[in-house]
Amino acid sequence: MKKETVRKEVTTMKDIAREAEVSVATVSHVINNTKHISDTTRNKVLRVIERYNYVPNSAAKNLRQQSTKTAGLVVSSFPDSFVTEMIFAIEERAKEMGYNLLLVNTNEDRDYEEKTINLLHSKLVDGIILSPTSGDIQYLQNYTNDNFPIVMVNRYESTIENIPRVTGDNFQLGYDATLHLLKHGHKKIGFIYSYPNVSTTNDRIRGYQEALKQYNIPINDDYIVQGYAKVKEGATAAEQLLAKDDQITALFVQNDLMTIGAISKIKELNLSIPDDIAIIGFGDFSSSHIIEPPVTNILLPPETIGRTAFDVLLNKINNPNYMSHIELPPSMLIRKSCGC
Amino acid sequence: MKKETVRKEVTTMKDIAREAEVSVATVSHVINNTKHISDTTRNKVLRVIERYNYVPNSAAKNLRQQSTKTAGLVVSSFPDSFVTEMIFAIEERAKEMGYNLLLVNTNEDRDYEEKTINLLHSKLVDGIILSPTSGDIQYLQNYTNDNFPIVMVNRYESTIENIPRVTGDNFQLGYDATLHLLKHGHKKIGFIYSYPNVSTTNDRIRGYQEALKQYNIPINDDYIVQGYAKVKEGATAAEQLLAKDDQITALFVQNDLMTIGAISKIKELNLSIPDDIAIIGFGDFSSSHIIEPPVTNILLPPETIGRTAFDVLLNKINNPNYMSHIELPPSMLIRKSCGC
DNA sequence: AATATTTAGTTAATCGATTAACCAACTTGA
DNA sequence: TCAAGTTGGTTAATCGATTAACTAAATATT
């Protein structure tokens, strides 16, 4: 039951060599400038290449050179403006450095993540930038033991220390945003996170709790709910929080889509922002300032994180012993939704 | 000045074969299920594979099999919700069909697009889904002559008819949105597009003009301005349109970011939406319904377009003679900004 | 019992480049 | 004039898999 494959007539270096009446080695040297070739021969070869519209077979090249000038980028989610901008920055930096990017989205599926990294490993890419999903990623240890370059971006896994990483300071982020709300007099602050058991969520929650502790406010785990990084689920999470007898007066939401969901739910309930419910979102998403009221956000710099991550990967590729844990500070973009 | 390369100790199939005391062929057959191997041998091999955490070298596999199970996706822009969702859909469909996706963003750079396709060609990928940027893309003809599978998505180039494509019906889209504004009594309608000389823009403008013509309204090219698909530039475009003596009363904007920019500019000018200026945007972006007033959009289905595009590519890969031009109809999501 | 078929493996050619090692012819220098 | 160096190439091994063709042993068939 073999599939009938239509054999493609693809020009190889051999064809070019034959046509130009030189050896394949010469063709290769002309293409790669690896040896001095006389102008006559060089031009003869180039003309044939031109005529046949010849492009060297990358698989063969990769196999021989043990390098692909391609990097893998494995992210766990996608249409969230922070991640999108980070991807964009990595892409851009890769382009600048002469690399291509193989982008894969695991959609928070741990098994798929492992499978993908397996696939990307072994010379399909020179290295991987990974934003891991939750769960045990000890399997990564095998790759790092093999000296296969991996760097973590945005999220990290604290049990694995020997992988370089570039993230935001999410503890500080959680702390700063919460403190801001506390200063406005809020005592019951809801926290809507995307996914559990990932460093971004964990660290922000720790920061949130630390701020509350400093204000001597008891920590209530019921105030911390999941919103799956989506509009609808963000709305549901907000609804759930606002339905409590406790009269929560502020919301701290961890991504743009959930923020939009939460705001639409608050409006639907005919509550006023920020008078009834204050809200702080995450990331400088573009509609923030035209939403009514304009949304106050706490941010991390996606471009810097992305570009830095790629540079770190490059360092790791060139030097297997390279190591660094880079953490970038958050900042706040204060508008109206927090009550300022 | 050769770079000192640290030779990586990578386990090959030969190592596995030696260790399991079988031939490399047997190892290959175990891995690929290409021949019946006794349970004893199979297990012996599998154990060694497990122990060494062995993964076959894809470059070698690709070279031999003349197939990579990877598709290239070349887009010309990125952080726009329509494109993002389309990419997401293509990704998802590729995953379902056992393919990986090599995503490259050309950022509207024609030369980079050509270079990228050159690179992706020749067995780095099995085929390419392309959303071409403007300019002469006759160079594509070389690839299609080689039977290299390419399909165009979202945008197309009308001078090349022998490449399958999946797009929206943008003429209809331009027509419908404009007609809607005309029915509300608007006569001076500004049109803000992202990039010139691409089919999406051209077709929508044709639709826009056709609608005006049917209402016997003279076409004024000054009403058609560029917004570069970005928030800031969208705002500038809106400002430029509203500054005219003509008193434009409606805006038809071709992507989410520019729509957000235009709205913020209108608010900045203390004009009311929809009373002073009606506005119709494009795409069902998530903040549409919480912006004040909620934004009316005309849409195309990014998921259907994306999934279909991948299926078309698959057809083209399996059958070089496959051909189709698929055009999906627009729909409208009416909210308040149009004056309804 | 002789022959045919099945099972379980092996051998070796192959994919299309890169590149170290080699070589021939020509220059240069003393 | 002859050794040394330079120029402009070529030869052939190699990267790490896949797979057609082959073989030996075991099993089935007549």
Side-chain angles (χ1 to χ4, degrees):
Chain A
M1 211 62 85
K2 277 202 60 230
K3 208 175 80 227
E4 201 67 32
T5 66
V6 182
R7 183 76 180 78
K8 272 190 212 123
E9 263 327 316
V10 111
T11 6
T12 72
M13 197 174 267
K14 210 153 136 192
D15 301 331
I16 303 297
R18 187 186 335 98
E19 205 68 14
E21 299 173 300
V22 296
S23 71
V24 287
T26 304
V27 177
S28 175
H29 288 134
V30 166
I31 292 175
N32 302 298
N33 275 313
T34 35
K35 226 167 189 275
H36 192 261
I37 302 290
S38 73
D39 280 354
T40 354
T41 313
R42 151 184 269 16
N43 286 329
K44 194 166 58 178
V45 171
L46 287 177
R47 267 202 309 279
V48 178
I49 288 178
E50 179 84 2
R51 179 146 54 85
Y52 280 76
N53 212 264
Y54 166 75
V55 184
N57 178 315
S58 325
K61 181 173 183 156
N62 294 345
L63 173 59
R64 186 58 228 250
Q65 296 202 319
Q66 306 274 85
S67 154
T68 62
K69 288 286 177 187
T70 311
L73 174 54
V74 180
V75 297
S76 48
S77 66
F78 206 162
D80 153 324
S81 75
F82 176 77
V83 175
T84 306
E85 279 171 40
M86 189 182 75
I87 292 174
F88 192 59
I90 295 176
E91 243 262 335
E92 196 178 60
R93 185 62 178 158
K95 194 184 293 182
E96 283 174 21
M97 305 305 279
Y99 272 72
N100 269 72
L101 216 56
L102 184 49
L103 176 56
V104 184
N105 172 25
T106 65
N107 226 5
E108 305 290 349
D109 177 341
R110 244 312 311 288
D111 287 343
Y112 190 75
E113 174 182 307
E114 187 166 347
K115 256 177 55 186
T116 299
I117 296 201
N118 255 335
L119 182 77
L120 294 179
H121 176 54
S122 79
K123 308 283 103 198
L124 195 67
V125 299
D126 292 346
I128 290 178
I129 298 181
L130 169 68
S131 185
T133 185
S134 71
D136 180 23
I137 54 172
Q138 284 300 330
Y139 74 94
L140 281 179
Q141 212 71 69
N142 291 322
Y143 296 107
T144 57
N145 291 345
D146 277 8
N147 269 334
F148 180 62
I150 296 189
V151 345
M152 291 196 284
V153 70
N154 191 29
R155 298 175 179 176
Y156 64 92
E157 174 57 51
S158 54
T159 55
I160 299 190
E161 280 300 323
N162 63 348
I163 297 182
R165 63 194 194 213
V166 181
T167 66
D169 184 344
N170 285 298
F171 173 82
Q172 192 67 42
L173 188 150
Y175 181 84
D176 288 355
T178 309
L179 198 69
H180 188 83
L181 290 169
L182 289 166
K183 282 184 179 159
H184 274 292
H186 298 284
K187 292 186 185 340
K188 299 186 173 170
I189 303 174
F191 185 107
I192 302 181
Y193 62 89
S194 312
Y195 292 97
N197 303 322
V198 293
S199 66
T200 39
T201 299
N202 293 344
D203 292 352
R204 289 178 196 180
I205 289 180
R206 284 196 303 110
Y208 160 85
Q209 292 174 332
E210 178 64 27
L212 291 177
K213 203 183 295 172
Q214 290 197 4
Y215 269 63
N216 287 315
I217 294 176
I219 289 164
N220 186 339
D221 285 345
D222 287 355
Y223 290 0
I224 305 178
V225 302
Q226 179 168 12
Y228 298 90
K230 300 209 188 74
V231 175
K232 210 172 181 178
E233 288 77 0
T236 311
E239 184 167 33
Q240 190 183 326
L241 283 169
L242 301 179
K244 293 190 191 302
D245 298 337
D246 300 17
Q247 301 287 1
I248 280 175
T249 62
L251 250 34
F252 175 24
V253 192
Q254 307 304 317
N255 98 336
D256 53 348
L257 301 177
M258 298 191 299
T259 302
I260 288 169
I263 292 176
S264 75
K265 179 56 72 179
I266 295 171
K267 292 190 168 183
E268 199 182 308
L269 295 172
N270 281 314
L271 294 169
S272 132
I273 304 174
D275 296 338
D276 298 323
I277 307 289
I279 187 165
I280 293 185
F282 169 77
D284 185 22
F285 57 101
S286 45
S287 55
S288 300
H289 64 293
I290 57 166
I291 288 174
E292 206 43 61
V295 184
T296 290
N297 289 312
I298 187 152
L299 359 152
L300 250 20
E303 315 78 23
T304 312
I305 293 182
R307 296 178 69 87
T308 310
F310 191 83
D311 288 340
V312 166
L313 179 66
L314 232 44
N315 285 333
K316 188 75 182 168
I317 288 174
N318 293 324
N319 167 19
N321 298 316
Y322 177 84
M323 177 53 57
S324 67
H325 291 175
I326 299 175
E327 212 172 42
L328 295 148
S331 59
M332 279 191 72
L333 201 49
I334 294 175
R335 285 191 273 247
K336 300 288 178 199
S337 69
C338 57
C340 273
Chain B
M1 212 61 85
K2 278 204 59 231
K3 207 176 78 227
E4 201 67 32
T5 66
V6 184
R7 182 77 181 79
K8 270 189 213 126
E9 264 325 316
V10 109
T11 14
T12 73
M13 196 174 267
K14 211 154 138 190
D15 301 330
I16 303 297
R18 188 187 333 98
E19 204 69 13
E21 298 173 300
V22 296
S23 70
V24 287
T26 303
V27 177
S28 174
H29 287 134
V30 166
I31 291 175
N32 302 298
N33 276 313
T34 33
K35 229 168 189 275
H36 191 262
I37 302 290
S38 72
D39 280 354
T40 356
T41 315
R42 151 183 258 49
N43 285 329
K44 195 166 58 178
V45 171
L46 287 177
R47 268 202 309 279
V48 178
I49 288 179
E50 178 86 1
R51 178 145 55 85
Y52 280 75
N53 212 265
Y54 167 74
V55 184
N57 178 315
S58 325
K61 182 173 182 156
N62 294 346
L63 174 58
R64 186 58 229 247
Q65 296 202 320
Q66 306 275 85
S67 153
T68 62
K69 288 285 175 187
T70 309
L73 173 55
V74 180
V75 298
S76 48
S77 66
F78 207 159
D80 153 323
S81 76
F82 176 77
V83 175
T84 307
E85 279 171 39
M86 189 183 75
I87 292 174
F88 193 57
I90 295 175
E91 243 263 335
E92 197 178 60
R93 186 61 179 159
K95 194 185 292 183
E96 283 174 21
M97 304 306 277
Y99 271 72
N100 269 73
L101 214 57
L102 183 50
L103 176 56
V104 184
N105 172 25
T106 63
N107 226 6
E108 306 289 351
D109 177 342
R110 245 312 312 289
D111 288 343
Y112 190 75
E113 174 182 307
E114 187 166 347
K115 255 177 56 186
T116 299
I117 296 200
N118 254 335
L119 183 76
L120 294 180
H121 177 52
S122 78
K123 306 283 105 196
L124 195 67
V125 300
D126 292 347
I128 290 178
I129 298 181
L130 169 68
S131 185
T133 186
S134 71
D136 179 22
I137 54 174
Q138 284 300 330
Y139 74 93
L140 282 179
Q141 213 70 69
N142 291 324
Y143 297 106
T144 57
N145 290 346
D146 276 8
N147 269 334
F148 180 62
I150 296 188
V151 344
M152 292 195 284
V153 70
N154 191 29
R155 297 174 179 177
Y156 65 91
E157 174 57 52
S158 54
T159 54
I160 300 191
E161 279 300 324
N162 62 348
I163 296 184
R165 63 195 193 211
V166 181
T167 65
D169 184 344
N170 286 297
F171 172 81
Q172 193 67 43
L173 189 149
Y175 182 84
D176 289 355
T178 309
L179 198 68
H180 188 83
L181 290 169
L182 289 167
K183 281 185 180 159
H184 275 290
H186 297 283
K187 290 184 183 346
K188 298 185 175 173
I189 304 175
F191 185 108
I192 302 181
Y193 63 89
S194 311
Y195 292 97
N197 303 323
V198 293
S199 66
T200 40
T201 299
N202 292 343
D203 291 352
R204 289 178 196 180
I205 289 180
R206 283 197 304 111
Y208 159 86
Q209 292 175 333
E210 179 64 27
L212 291 177
K213 204 181 295 173
Q214 289 198 6
Y215 268 64
N216 287 316
I217 293 176
I219 289 164
N220 186 339
D221 284 344
D222 287 354
Y223 292 179
I224 306 177
V225 302
Q226 179 167 11
Y228 299 90
K230 300 208 187 75
V231 176
K232 209 171 180 179
E233 288 78 359
T236 311
E239 184 169 32
Q240 192 183 327
L241 283 169
L242 301 179
K244 293 189 191 302
D245 297 337
D246 298 17
Q247 300 288 359
I248 281 177
T249 62
L251 251 33
F252 175 25
V253 191
Q254 308 304 317
N255 98 336
D256 53 349
L257 300 177
M258 296 190 301
T259 303
I260 288 169
I263 292 177
S264 75
K265 179 57 71 181
I266 295 171
K267 292 190 168 182
E268 200 182 307
L269 296 171
N270 281 314
L271 293 170
S272 133
I273 304 174
D275 297 339
D276 297 324
I277 307 290
I279 187 164
I280 293 186
F282 169 77
D284 185 21
F285 57 101
S286 44
S287 55
S288 300
H289 63 293
I290 56 166
I291 288 173
E292 205 44 59
V295 185
T296 290
N297 290 312
I298 187 150
L299 1 151
L300 250 18
E303 315 79 23
T304 312
I305 293 182
R307 298 178 68 87
T308 308
F310 192 82
D311 288 340
V312 166
L313 180 65
L314 232 45
N315 285 334
K316 188 74 183 169
I317 288 174
N318 294 323
N319 168 17
N321 298 317
Y322 177 85
M323 178 52 58
S324 68
H325 291 176
I326 298 175
E327 213 171 43
L328 295 149
S331 58
M332 278 192 75
L333 201 49
I334 294 176
R335 284 192 273 248
K336 300 288 176 197
S337 69
C338 57
C340 271

